[in-house]
Every structure is written in structure tokens, then in C-alpha cells.
Amino acid sequence: THRPTWLAVHAERAVSRALGGSCSMPLAAHATWQGDALQVDALLGDAVQLTRPLLKAQATAAVADEVAAEALGRKVAAQLRAQGAADYLAASA
């Protein structure tokens, strides 16, 4: 197991889990290493009203274990929620 990749995947999946991600949800999360810090970028679109703008969030933190990686992913999901993700998610349901 490649530890940096494993941690990045944990962060990405945490975004999806926190938002109730599914195959039909227009959600993207991508984690990349910036030196010793992990950066997570996420986008959420509206599955019904396609003209609505994408919600975008990003956070960076030092990540040494799975707990920290998942916390970073949840932080990014919380940023999306603060921007109105609930309305977008309701449209996908």
C-alpha cells in the first residue's frame, strides 16, 4: 500500500460519504499532495438544474493518518454545505 495515495483516497471518500454521494450525484473530490500537506478540491453540481453554478471548496492540511485525512474531507464537505449544498443534494434525491 502506497501510504500517500491511501491517505488521499481516504480524504476523497470522506467528502462523498459526508454528502451522501452516489453514482447519480454530480460530485467530484480530488486530493493531491502539496509538499507535506494534503489538498482536497471538491465540486458539486445540481443534477436537475444544470445551469446552476458549481459549488467549489478546497482545504489543505498536514495529514499523517487516516483520521486526519477523513477530517480534511469532512471539512471540505462542510464548506460545500455552507454554500448551499443541501439544495443541490435535494435535487438529486
Side-chain angles (χ1 to χ4, degrees):
T1 302
H2 184 250
R3 186 101 175 121
T5 301
W6 181 250
L7 295 174
V9 168
H10 266 71
E12 293 166 351
R13 289 180 179 168
V15 174
S16 182
R17 277 192 305 275
L19 295 173
S22 70
C23 293
S24 63
M25 181 185 293
L27 172 66
H30 185 239
T32 56
W33 287 96
Q34 308 297 320
D36 292 336
L38 187 60
Q39 177 178 309
V40 179
D41 294 279
L43 301 169
L44 177 65
D46 189 308
V48 177
Q49 295 180 31
L50 303 179
T51 58
R52 288 179 84 176
L54 287 174
L55 301 181
K56 300 176 184 181
Q58 179 186 79
T60 304
V63 170
D65 58 23
E66 290 86 352
V67 172
E70 291 176 10
L72 181 60
R74 286 191 305 272
K75 179 178 180 179
V76 172
Q79 290 176 9
L80 291 172
R81 286 195 184 281
Q83 295 176 45
D87 289 342
Y88 284 53
L89 298 172
S92 299

